[in-house]
Amino acid sequence: MSSDLKRKPKKKNPKPVQINPNWSLLQQKLKSDSNNSGNRKSSNNDDSDNPRSILGKRKERPDTEVDVPKISPLAPVNDDSSLTDEVAMDCEMVGVSQGTKSALGRVTLVNKWGNVLYDEFVRPVERVVDFRTHISGIRPRDLRKAKDFRVAQTKVAELIKGKILVGHALHNDLKVLLLTHPKKDIRDTAEYQPFLKYFSHLTNPSFLSSSCPNEPICNLPNRDKTRKSLKHLASEFLGADIQNGEHCPIDDARAAMLLYQKNRREWERNVKDQTRMRLKQKKQEADFRIDGGEIRVMRSLRGSSMAGLVSHPARLSSLRSIFTGCRAVMLPRFGGPEVLELRENVPVPNLNPNEVLVRARAVSVNPLDCRIRAGYGRSVLQPHLPVIIGRDISGEVAAVGNSVKAFKVGQEVFGALHPTALRGTYTDYGILSEEELTEKPSSVSHVEASAIPFAALTAWRALKSNARILEGQRLLVFGGGAVGFAAIQLGVAFGCHVTASCVGQTKDRILAAGAEQAVDYLTEDIEVAVKGKFDAVLDTIGRPETERIGINFLRKGGNYMTLQGEAASLTDRYGFLIGLPLATSLLAKKKIQYQYSHGIDYWWTYMRADPEGLAEIQRLVGAGKLKIPVEKTFPITEVVAAHEAKEKKLVPGKVVLEL
């Protein structure tokens, strides 16, 4: 019996091991609290010796965890601030002029991760009369030490070049920046079709009548403007609360980028489909038909079973002269001024969707026009003779293609064709693409405007595309002709220190344009008169001597640019198969030579269509900061005399033909 009693405790020993671990911990907690109860004040509401009390607190624990910070859906996912293929932009505007005109006050760019690439307050060129603080968040103190507009514009242009640009209503941002961006590279959340469907759902009368029964239907247009906002998109699709009071451009840019990233795959698929449709449209035929005095652009629908024609009004009613008596200066063969022929009843070609028909009022005579007439570029033009020559134009819009949105009939415009264009501007009606034109400022006449675009775009190409010149750098210009004079004024507008080499009679004009020094190369030794090194040299003369001097004036990392590239002349001499590879190898040889010997870049620069440059040129012309003086005008009927005066240098400056 005693032995049995002794065995029983041994059977009970293993039981504590089987106790639930949580219960064991609880017992230890109770024991610890009991030992320390004398060191704590008792409470009527806290019975620490009661296991149920403690267990009850475990249930209440989630309710007491209120200090956990909420993560914003717009917060960047990492700290990578590098430039990515997608960049989002948002701008805040202030009021200038009478307060109704918007100007840039702050610009922000973020990368695809939402990290800030650029965020600066910007000082507008015009005086600010309304800071719009309740929306923009901009105050007078923010603009006292803000970035100069041109500096910010240049930086933004560099950051978005070649990138997918994301934003909301980007046309407003690009407008105040005076920049353009390829349409194929723009991703605008205000124009994305699925988002537009969302807005149309919000503004549906049945939806509004159920959600807002007290609001009259007559307020629907205003509701549409309010609903179509980034704030509502961010709230609906991101769960983010933005634009409550003063706007934060960083949050707005991040919201637009996140909206794009969440819909990226489908968005890009839509872009590809739209691109495919546009390419198909370009293959459609265009034609003109007069119906009761109204011009209609006729587009043939290829592949249609009906084989019908769809007409679109060209918004013009009185251009019968286009078809009955269009004059044009034709080049039937290469030679002297006498080969030019003014012909009547020259037909107007079909207008493509992206083209604009311009009623010419004035066209300028460029040195390139004289060189083409004499045979420059014959390898390209010979098979197409007779051709119309001319590059600059100023006039009124007579008709527009179906896809043109920037211009309307009757609007005064000016612009320039690419050097290789087969149909020039010496005609009553010129045809230019939408990108080759801009609105003519009312402060200049057609004669003055026609002298500017080709020369200014050539200078812009050299300074901004080749040299990428910046504020505070030094620029040396050889030659005071139209391109050289335009380059001087552009350099001054960019905030550069400009020195020019010219002929005596243009010296005063160059100094008046803002150049710090002008040297008459006929009477002065430029190598003695000019001191220091330069960041860029534009040589409009292109002789071996000016090339040598220009190269030696450059500091390491500088850019030498000449207008006398040999690509066209070598192609004319040896043909395409030999001439083009020869020109390419010659340019590459010079680049390597000067990079090795002087540490500089060497360029052959040519004019090309540049919407961004043309917009800046238009702004400077309107502000009176860019002008090319016209020495003499001729009627179009005296085109031979005009070319003789230009070629024989009877007129030292710009010559313009009036129509």
Side-chain angles (χ1 to χ4, degrees):
M1 186 68 178
S2 60
S3 60
D4 292 337
L5 292 172
K6 293 179 180 178
R7 291 175 185 171
K8 288 181 180 179
K10 293 182 179 179
K11 294 181 180 179
K12 294 181 179 180
N13 286 338
K15 288 185 178 180
V17 180
Q18 298 176 359
I19 295 175
N20 188 296
N22 292 333
W23 180 251
S24 178
L25 292 173
L26 179 59
Q27 286 181 324
Q28 293 177 13
K29 174 67 175 174
L30 291 173
K31 184 177 180 180
S32 175
D33 291 344
S34 177
N35 293 335
N36 298 326
S37 60
N39 299 328
R40 298 195 304 264
K41 294 182 179 180
S42 62
S43 173
N44 296 330
N45 298 327
D46 183 16
D47 188 1
S48 61
D49 293 331
N50 190 348
R52 295 183 180 179
S53 168
I54 295 175
L55 290 174
K57 285 187 178 180
R58 292 182 58 143
K59 295 180 181 178
E60 296 173 357
R61 191 173 300 164
D63 297 334
T64 61
E65 294 177 357
V66 296
D67 296 332
V68 179
K70 294 183 179 180
I71 300 177
S72 170
L74 302 180
V77 297
N78 58 39
D79 57 355
D80 184 357
S81 298
S82 60
L83 183 62
T84 55
D85 292 335
E86 297 98 14
V87 176
M89 179 173 70
D90 187 73
C91 296
E92 296 300 333
M93 290 77 157
V94 294
V96 297
S97 186
Q98 300 298 321
T100 57
K101 181 180 177 182
S102 295
L104 181 65
R106 182 179 177 183
V107 57
T108 301
L109 285 87
V110 302
N111 62 12
K112 70 177 183 179
W113 311 116
N115 293 300
V116 176
L117 297 171
Y118 189 73
D119 180 33
E120 294 288 350
F121 289 102
V122 181
R123 185 173 61 256
V125 177
E126 300 181 60
R127 186 175 68 88
V128 179
V129 298
D130 184 3
F131 287 89
R132 303 175 184 173
T133 305
H134 64 290
I135 295 177
S136 69
I138 299 173
R139 292 166 172 79
R141 65 173 180 270
D142 297 325
L143 301 187
R144 286 172 191 153
K145 295 184 179 180
K147 292 286 185 182
D148 183 76
F149 173 79
R150 291 187 295 271
V151 175
Q153 180 194 51
T154 301
K155 183 63 177 179
V156 171
E158 291 176 356
L159 289 173
I160 68 175
K161 185 176 182 180
K163 307 298 182 185
I164 298 295
L165 184 60
V166 182
H168 190 83
L170 279 169
H171 62 280
N172 293 325
D173 299 332
L174 292 170
K175 183 177 180 179
V176 296
L177 278 162
L178 297 178
L179 294 177
T180 58
H181 200 69
K183 188 175 181 180
K184 65 181 181 65
D185 292 335
I186 289 179
R187 306 293 182 266
D188 196 328
T189 57
E191 302 296 334
Y192 185 45
Q193 196 62 34
F195 294 159
L196 292 176
K197 291 180 180 178
Y198 161 71
F199 287 130
S200 64
H201 165 68
L202 288 180
T203 54
N204 186 283
S206 61
F207 174 82
L208 289 177
S209 61
S210 60
S211 61
C212 307
N214 296 326
E215 182 169 350
I217 297 298
C218 62
N219 288 341
L220 285 179
N222 294 330
R223 288 296 298 268
D224 182 58
K225 293 179 182 178
T226 303
R227 295 281 190 178
K228 191 174 181 179
S229 66
L230 182 61
K231 175 181 176 66
H232 286 84
L233 285 177
S235 176
E236 177 71 16
F237 296 100
L238 304 178
D241 190 15
I242 62 173
Q243 297 183 353
N244 290 317
E246 297 179 7
H247 291 194
C248 174
I250 297 177
D251 285 346
D252 292 354
R254 285 173 174 171
M257 176 58 76
L258 192 54
L259 286 167
Y260 167 70
Q261 293 294 345
K262 285 182 175 293
N263 299 273
R264 186 177 185 277
R265 181 175 296 181
E266 185 64 28
W267 201 323
E268 293 303 324
R269 187 182 296 115
N270 291 344
V271 171
K272 289 182 180 179
D273 292 342
Q274 292 173 5
T275 303
R276 198 177 297 115
M277 291 179 62
R278 283 196 294 268
L279 291 175
K280 186 177 180 179
Q281 286 179 348
K282 287 183 179 180
K283 295 179 181 179
Q284 294 176 344
E285 296 178 348
D287 197 3
F288 282 105
R289 185 182 68 182
I290 296 183
D291 185 8
E294 181 182 29
I295 296 179
R296 293 180 179 271
V297 179
M298 307 299 296
R299 297 176 61 194
S300 175
L301 301 181
R302 296 186 179 185
S304 171
S305 59
M306 299 295 293
L309 294 174
V310 178
S311 64
H312 301 273
R315 299 188 290 278
L316 191 64
S317 59
S318 58
L319 277 182
R320 293 179 182 274
S321 60
I322 294 179
F323 305 91
T324 58
C326 177
R327 300 174 302 168
V329 175
M330 307 298 294
L331 178 67
R333 64 186 185 281
F334 300 111
E338 69 280 359
V339 302
L340 297 176
E341 298 177 4
L342 179 63
R343 298 183 182 179
E344 303 284 344
N345 299 321
V346 176
V348 176
N350 296 332
L351 196 65
N352 291 325
N354 68 323
E355 290 180 334
V356 179
L357 185 69
V358 180
R359 172 65 175 95
R361 297 301 179 187
V363 296
S364 74
V365 178
N366 287 295
L368 179 63
D369 300 339
C370 297
R371 294 179 66 187
I372 288 175
R373 187 210 66 230
Y376 182 75
R378 68 173 64 239
S379 58
V380 176
L381 299 176
Q382 183 77 51
H384 303 281
L385 293 178
V387 297
I388 303 173
I389 62 173
R391 292 297 172 264
D392 288 315
I393 191 170
S394 182
E396 300 99 24
V397 175
V400 296
N402 291 333
S403 64
V404 175
K405 297 181 180 179
F407 303 103
K408 59 183 179 180
V409 172
Q411 187 174 2
E412 292 189 334
V413 295
F414 72 115
L417 288 166
H418 190 275
T420 59
L422 296 177
R423 187 182 190 276
T425 57
Y426 288 12
T427 175
D428 286 325
Y429 292 93
I431 296 178
L432 295 88
S433 70
E434 188 177 14
E435 293 184 346
E436 294 172 329
L437 287 169
T438 188
E439 183 178 8
K440 182 185 77 67
S442 58
S443 58
V444 295
S445 66
H446 285 297
V447 169
E448 293 171 315
S450 69
I452 296 171
F454 191 85
L457 282 170
T458 305
W460 173 275
R461 166 79 165 163
L463 300 184
K464 299 301 289 186
S465 299
N466 296 146
R468 298 181 180 274
I469 199 163
L470 299 173
E471 182 180 10
Q473 293 186 333
R474 299 192 72 203
L475 169 66
L476 175 61
V477 179
F478 284 103
V483 176
F485 193 54
I488 292 167
Q489 295 174 86
L490 288 174
V492 172
F494 299 152
C496 300
H497 305 283
V498 182
T499 298
S501 170
C502 59
V503 182
Q505 62 266 30
T506 61
K507 186 173 181 178
D508 293 338
R509 180 186 297 169
I510 288 173
L511 291 174
E516 296 181 353
Q517 185 179 7
V519 180
D520 185 349
Y521 63 81
L522 295 179
T523 60
E524 299 178 76
D525 187 348
I526 188 172
E527 294 179 278
V528 176
V530 176
K531 306 296 181 183
K533 295 289 186 178
F534 292 82
D535 300 283
V537 172
L538 175 59
D539 186 359
T540 67
I541 300 173
R543 296 174 183 169
E545 184 66 9
T546 56
E547 180 173 314
R548 179 190 65 80
I549 296 173
I551 293 293
N552 290 332
F553 265 127
L554 284 170
R555 59 168 54 100
K556 284 190 176 182
N559 291 269
Y560 174 87
M561 301 151 291
T562 177
L563 303 184
Q564 310 304 324
E566 300 183 54
S569 59
L570 290 174
T571 302
D572 289 342
R573 189 181 308 170
Y574 301 107
F576 280 99
L577 293 179
I578 299 176
L580 280 179
L582 184 61
T584 302
S585 62
L586 178 60
L587 178 59
K589 178 183 177 181
K590 288 206 169 192
K591 279 182 170 289
I592 295 172
Q593 172 189 343
Y594 288 123
Q595 183 65 46
Y596 180 79
S597 62
H598 294 76
I600 60 100
D601 284 328
Y602 182 95
W603 303 90
W604 289 347
T605 188
Y606 305 94
M607 177 272 183
R608 72 171 183 181
D610 189 326
E612 176 188 340
L614 198 56
E616 179 66 9
I617 289 167
Q618 189 257 8
R619 186 185 71 83
L620 293 174
V621 171
K625 297 180 179 180
L626 178 59
K627 182 178 181 179
I628 298 178
V630 176
E631 295 292 338
K632 187 173 178 60
T633 61
F634 292 83
I636 191 68
T637 54
E638 299 179 14
V639 61
V640 174
H643 269 245
E644 287 179 346
K646 189 67 179 176
E647 189 166 74
K648 297 178 181 179
K649 298 183 179 180
L650 301 177
V651 178
K654 197 73 173 177
V655 173
V656 170
L657 300 172
E658 291 185 276
L659 293 92

